Amino acid sequence: MSMIAAFYGGKSILITGATGFLGKVLMEKLFRTSPNLKVIYILVRPKAGQTLQQRVFQILNSKLFEKVKEVCPNVHEKIRPICADLNQNDFGISKEDMQELLSCTNIIFHCAATVRFDDPLRHAVQLNVTATQQLLQMASEMPRLEAFIHISTAYSNCNLKHIDEVIYPCPVEPKKIIDSLEWLDDAIVDEITPKLIGDRPNTYTYTKALGEMVVHQEGRNLNIAIIRPSIVGATWQEPFPGWVDNLNGPSGMIIAAGKGFLRSLRATPMAVADLIPVDTVVNLTLAAGWYTAVHRPKSTLIYHCTSGNLNPCNWLKMGLYVLATFEKVPFEKAFRRPNADFTTNILSNQYWNAVSHLAPAIIYDFYLRLTGRKPRMTKLMNRLLRTISMLEYFINRSWEWSTANTEMLMSELSPEDQRVFNFDVRQLNWLEYIENYVLGVKKYLLKEDMAGIPKAKQHLKRLRNIHYLFNTALFLIIWRLLIARSQMARNIWLFIVSFCYKFLSYFRASSTLKV
Ligand SMILES: CCCCCCCCCCCCCCCCCCCCCCCC(=O)SCCNC(=O)CCNC(=O)[C@H](O)C(C)(C)COP(=O)(O)OP(=O)(O)OC[C@H]1O[C@@H](n2cnc3c(N)ncnc32)[C@H](O)[C@@H]1OP(=O)(O)O
Ligand SMILES: NC(=O)C1=CN([C@@H]2O[C@H](COP(=O)(O)OP(=O)(O)OC[C@H]3O[C@@H](n4cnc5c(N)ncnc54)[C@H](OP(=O)(O)O)[C@@H]3O)[C@@H](O)[C@H]2O)C=CC1
């Protein structure tokens, strides 16, 4: 019997960010392994014209929840969506709902965040810092609370090379930042943002670090743990391999490469690609929730949920695995044949951006215009280049994360829990994982049917022929121009022609002699 699964039985659990990538997998695992839990409260906002109920209905009816419905047929009765916007005071939660949350909640999993790299500081602070502070305030009024699990990121201290499972102070106190944002106008905030974030690459990593400080300072009287995952990718094993539902991290890049848009990337081939499957993060999170509530460690424990130190894979290997998978399961209607490359040099990166990204897009848009259609490829390509430029920081560096707490937690688990809540990345086979990841991207993000693979392969063959034809034509045109303008080119051309002629004559003469 799993001790962790039993622990969550009968519990009232509050999850923020349950509609997000990590939140959904967390909820799924909880329902599947502890179907006798009492209730999961989820803080949800209406979005994109959908009510809370519609959003929950959509999640429960997705493929991700198919197994849950078998083990927990009354799952819809156990999920209690609470209308909440984390950007508002008291999250805009009604008095009755707040009362219920305060009096019933046993465990909190705080997953909600803005994960955008380019969010204005004000918005990122509001969600990643102020909302965390408010949730801690709520938590301190919950008499039945046993554990508060805060999801941060392994990159919150990405300005350091070696990162321990400790909280590193930021130069400016979170409280001071929150206070000053109240009276500073947006223009000034934008101006001081680079100075505040210092040697971090974006507002996301900076505000996640501030969020950790808030947890450390204001959660002293609570039973708290912080989870720091690295780059969260598709599921490894559970509920099935390869599930993914958003474009963050590598998923968007896999699409861009598979569809032939991404042909070159400024990345350091030997840098560690610290991917971590989302189900591994969820298993560690649930194990940490159990450990924090049952063992009540004296201080806040931080768990690094990373792969680099236990089972490292570099970007070169990962890229090759991705490309090899495209051979077997190509994406449909590719723009060009997938054949991307890594470069470390900024100049050669700019050259390839011009030649391999922008030039084909401009030529294609020209063709669209000629055929009376609206050009769109250059705009799309510029957007892709902007996204890539934001990811570059993370694919050109390696970090070392110590994992002593994570390893300690693993050793505290019973053999059954180590199996049911497996977060041992040493068992992960990267090639198999990447194959399933690419397949998952094709099925769950692009919604492409496996039956379309022969047609996709045919399309790629056609693209290869067009590519050869285009290159030959280009070569001939350039050569013709050179011959017209340069005596040296003419001489080389004459030399090649006379050499070929002599070779052919010799060949013909020797075959006549043999006869
Ligand atoms: C020899 C070897 C050969 C090599 C082969 C190459 C194979 C290639 C595959 C290998 C993979 C390599 C990939 C490396 C990826 C590394 C990722 C590192 C990330 C570090 C993460 C740190 C961990 C965290 O804690 S945070 C969680 C991660 N967060 C994110 O990823 C957020 C990133 N996204 C953003 O910040 C924004 O979306 C932004 C700035 C990128 C774009 O903003 P913008 O306002 O311009 O657009 P949006 O409105 O957001 O979206 C517009 C459009 O783009 C789609 N989109 C959004 N995000 C991405 C994305 N990451 N990739 C691609 N596309 C994206 C979005 O859906 C929209 O599409 P529409 O169709 O218009 O709706
Ligand atoms: N994905 C990754 O690679 C990594 C993620 N993390 C961390 O994991 C956690 C989860 O990330 P992930 O699931 O990928 O992110 P997602 O963007 O998929 O999910 C974010 C969640 O936060 C919710 N949210 C955002 N703003 C509000 C708001 N104003 N009110 C209520 N809810 C809100 C979203 O709700 P809605 O659906 O309404 O938008 C969504 O449920 C985050 O804390 C992130 O920092 C850490 C490392 C890597």
Side-chain angles (χ1 to χ4, degrees), residues 19-22 45 47 55 85-86 111 204 208 230 232:
T19 51
F21 180 43
L22 187 71
R45 51 182 176 171
K47 199 177 173 188
R55 294 194 73 185
D85 183 344
L86 270 60
C111 307
Y204 170 68
K208 288 298 277 190
S230 46
V232 183

Side-chain angles (χ1 to χ4, degrees), residues 120-131 177-178 181 207 210:
L121 187 67
R122 187 186 298 285
H123 185 244
V125 166
Q126 174 59 46
L127 207 57
N128 297 349
V129 191
T130 315
I177 305 270
I178 295 172
L181 286 177
T207 54
L210 289 178

Side-chain angles (χ1 to χ4, degrees), residues 111-312:
C111 307
T114 167
V115 301
R116 289 185 69 94
F117 294 151
D118 63 342
D119 238 1
L121 187 67
R122 187 186 298 285
H123 185 244
V125 166
Q126 174 59 46
L127 207 57
N128 297 349
V129 191
T130 315
T132 303
Q133 194 181 37
Q134 274 203 64
L135 192 65
L136 287 162
Q137 177 55 40
M138 268 174 72
S140 68
E141 295 169 35
M142 294 176 174
R144 296 189 180 171
L145 191 73
E146 296 171 47
F148 181 115
I149 309 300
H150 174 74
I151 309 294
S152 185
T153 164
Y155 296 95
S156 54
N157 300 293
C158 58
N159 50 327
L160 305 175
K161 197 167 160 29
H162 177 91
I163 301 160
D164 282 319
E165 289 164 305
V166 297
I167 291 177
Y168 294 92
C170 294
V172 185
E173 286 283 308
K175 200 173 166 341
K176 281 192 184 150
I177 305 270
I178 295 172
D179 289 346
S180 46
L181 286 177
E182 270 175 26
W183 57 270
L184 287 175
D185 70 34
D186 286 347
I188 299 181
V189 174
D190 287 347
E191 213 164 289
I192 61 170
T193 298
K195 290 200 179 71
L196 285 173
I197 67 174
D199 47 5
R200 287 187 177 79
N202 51 43
T203 54
Y204 170 68
T205 49
Y206 176 63
T207 54
K208 288 298 277 190
L210 289 178
E212 287 185 6
M213 270 185 81
V214 163
V215 170
H216 181 61
Q217 291 169 346
E218 307 199 14
R220 283 188 200 283
N221 299 322
L222 298 168
N223 243 340
I224 296 193
I226 296 177
I227 315 291
R228 286 187 184 151
S230 46
I231 303 170
V232 183
T235 51
W236 167 22
Q237 291 165 318
E238 292 179 82
F240 48 85
W243 182 82
V244 57
D245 84 335
N246 73 22
L247 293 168
N248 286 340
S251 310
M253 291 299 110
I254 290 176
I255 294 186
K259 292 278 182 187
F261 297 117
L262 177 71
R263 308 277 296 180
S264 152
L265 198 56
R266 194 172 79 77
T268 304
M270 292 305 151
V272 176
D274 211 300
L275 248 69
I276 189 87
V278 61
D279 46 339
T280 306
V281 182
V282 160
N283 287 344
L284 171 62
T285 302
L286 290 173
W290 159 79
Y291 186 81
T292 311
V294 172
H295 293 271
R296 308 174 78 86
K298 283 197 187 72
S299 59
T300 299
L301 288 188
I302 294 154
Y303 300 93
H304 282 162
C305 192
T306 54
S307 58
N309 58 341
L310 294 175
N311 184 2

